[in-house]
Amino acid sequence: MSDLHTEIKQLIIEALGLEDMVAEDIAADLTLFGEGLGLDSVDALELGLAIQKRFGIKIDAEAKDTRTHFANVASLAAFVSAQQTA
């Protein structure tokens, strides 16, 4: 597991108050919203803000591909990595 994947998993747990979970409980390809981890739209807003703050990147909530970036930890890590190198 990459360091970025672990950091994002930990951020999800901390930002959303999932105290009964540890990073290892969240598979990199686990769907974050709906089926899977079961996050909702309020969680998406909180997670988006936490990612922007932690990684210093801008997330456009209206962009067509934003939902795809937040599909799972792996896609979120790829998005964060791409934004940091851009």
Side-chain angles (χ1 to χ4, degrees):
M1 174 177 356
S2 79
D3 290 340
L4 183 55
H5 283 199
T6 302
E7 188 173 356
I8 289 172
K9 290 176 182 185
Q10 195 59 43
L11 181 64
I12 291 169
I13 292 166
E14 292 170 5
L16 304 179
L18 305 175
E19 292 114 14
D20 58 333
M21 296 188 82
V22 295
E24 293 78 22
D25 292 338
I26 304 172
D29 61 349
L30 177 68
T31 302
L32 297 178
F33 297 91
E35 296 290 324
L37 194 55
L39 303 182
D40 61 22
S41 60
V42 174
D43 295 326
L45 292 172
E46 291 178 19
L47 181 56
L49 290 173
I51 287 172
Q52 290 181 95
K53 184 176 179 180
R54 171 81 56 94
F55 298 106
I57 61 174
K58 176 82 171 114
I59 299 172
D60 181 2
E62 301 301 318
K64 288 187 274 183
D65 52 357
T66 299
R67 186 172 287 211
T68 303
H69 296 314
F70 279 74
N72 55 47
V73 171
S75 61
L76 200 47
F79 171 70
V80 168
S81 182
Q83 291 297 307
Q84 289 180 320
T85 58

